[in-house]
Amino acid sequence: TRTTRPQRLLRAVQKNATRNNPLSVISAIDDFCRHREWAMNVGDEKGFILDSVVNEVSPVTALELGAYCGYSAVRIARLLPPGACLITLEFNPDYAAIARQVIAWAGLEDKVQLVEGASGDWIPRMKEHFGIETFDFVFLDHWKDSYLPDTKLLEECGLLRKGTVLLADNVICPGAPDYLEYVRKSLSYESRFFKSHLEYTKAEDGLEKSVYLS
Ligand SMILES: CCc1ncnc2c1ncn2[C@@H]1O[C@H](/C=C/CNC(=O)c2cc(-c3ccc(F)cc3)cc(O)c2O)[C@@H](O)[C@H]1O
Ligand SMILES: [Mg+2]
């Protein structure tokens, strides 16, 4: 096929969503993925849980690992208080280009800093490059075997503080067993599982919310 799925997803947003209306962008993507082509966005059911955690934390500094097409960046950024910002790391240039346009269509480019690069390279540079002391909220939704190493890297770089909330997608499907074992056994985290379903399907999945206790 000439176009890629992310390109067709972006076209659906530009066709069906209203500029500067994040909810219409979210709905356009959910409709596209439910009725046209499945894509690995966190989706509406798990997205509702993501929204509730973001609203509870009301983060001033937020980090996302893995932007893909920008769906969860729009879900998170639309809820941020004034002056707050979301940094999202995406190392696939094609996905990054789509995500930038989806975020711009939602009118949220002033609240989102999309960084094109690998999380392992950029996490150590958060302080000197973005002036970030610590993150209030981290959403993990990139390669599932990167969840644990990146969490340990965030700890080592002093980017987590007492009360920082980590929210991880897909802890059942595809699964992140080493990450789950770590946050559930470690005395540095208070962890809780939110049962849900794999986006746009009836398959079991869920989110793990882990509060760093330092
Ligand atoms: C190097 C570190 C690093 N640094 C920066 N960006 C990185 C990165 N590693 C990866 N990325 C980007 O993140 C995104 C990857 C996301 C990976 N997500 C799933 O695999 C997934 C799968 C299913 C599912 C698929 C098929 C099924 F049958 C069932 C379930 C459902 C889900 O919700 C899922 O999130 C892409 O944009 C990568 O370019
Ligand atoms: Mg996911």
Side-chain angles (χ1 to χ4, degrees):
T1 52
R2 262 183 324 100
T3 62
T4 65
R5 180 168 304 181
Q7 285 169 331
R8 295 192 293 270
L9 181 150
L10 171 64
R11 191 173 59 208
V13 166
Q14 295 167 333
K15 178 169 175 284
N16 304 312
T18 311
R19 275 185 178 282
N20 303 319
N21 180 327
L23 272 179
S24 74
V25 169
I26 291 165
S27 301
I29 295 173
D30 286 331
D31 290 350
F32 175 78
C33 293
R34 192 176 293 285
H35 304 301
R36 293 274 184 266
E37 301 184 59
W38 187 93
M40 60 182 178
N41 315 117
V42 71
D44 48 352
E45 188 180 320
K46 289 186 290 179
F48 183 77
I49 299 166
L50 169 62
D51 290 357
S52 61
V53 173
V54 172
N55 280 325
E56 174 200 345
V57 176
S58 196
V60 173
T61 56
L63 174 67
E64 174 181 71
L65 302 178
Y68 187 44
C69 295
Y71 174 88
S72 45
V74 169
R75 283 205 84 110
I76 295 164
R78 86 187 202 281
L79 300 174
L80 292 180
C85 88
L86 168 70
I87 296 177
T88 182
L89 304 182
E90 173 51 57
F91 74 175
N92 180 307
D94 301 324
Y95 296 161
I98 299 291
R100 286 188 202 286
Q101 293 173 81
V102 167
I103 290 159
W105 198 269
L108 292 168
E109 57 273 57
D110 295 346
K111 287 183 171 284
V112 182
Q113 175 91 10
L114 190 148
V115 178
E116 200 173 315
S119 52
D121 298 339
W122 278 93
I123 286 170
R125 301 175 60 187
M126 281 298 152
K127 289 184 188 253
E128 43 101 7
H129 201 89
F130 296 101
I132 297 275
E133 268 312 297
T134 55
F135 285 108
D136 302 322
F137 176 77
V138 182
F139 183 54
L140 299 93
D141 195 21
H142 57 338
W143 295 152
K144 309 313 160 193
D145 57 10
S146 296
Y147 283 19
L148 182 53
D150 283 351
T151 296
K152 289 182 172 173
L153 188 57
L154 284 164
E155 290 175 15
E156 287 152 19
C157 294
L159 286 164
L160 305 183
R161 51 124 175 124
K162 192 174 179 51
T164 296
V165 171
L166 305 188
L167 189 65
D169 190 24
N170 311 115
V171 295
I172 303 297
C173 176
D178 57 345
Y179 173 81
L180 265 194
E181 185 187 14
Y182 180 73
V183 290
R184 290 177 175 175
K185 285 187 177 171
S186 165
L187 295 177
S188 300
Y189 293 92
E190 181 61 43
S191 212
R192 180 183 160 196
F193 175 64
F194 290 78
K195 187 175 165 56
S196 185
H197 295 94
L198 177 67
E199 49 266 30
Y200 318 116
T201 78
K202 292 185 174 13
E204 295 247 320
D205 193 14
L207 302 163
E208 187 81 1
K209 177 191 173 192
S210 307
V211 183
Y212 188 61
L213 305 172
S214 82

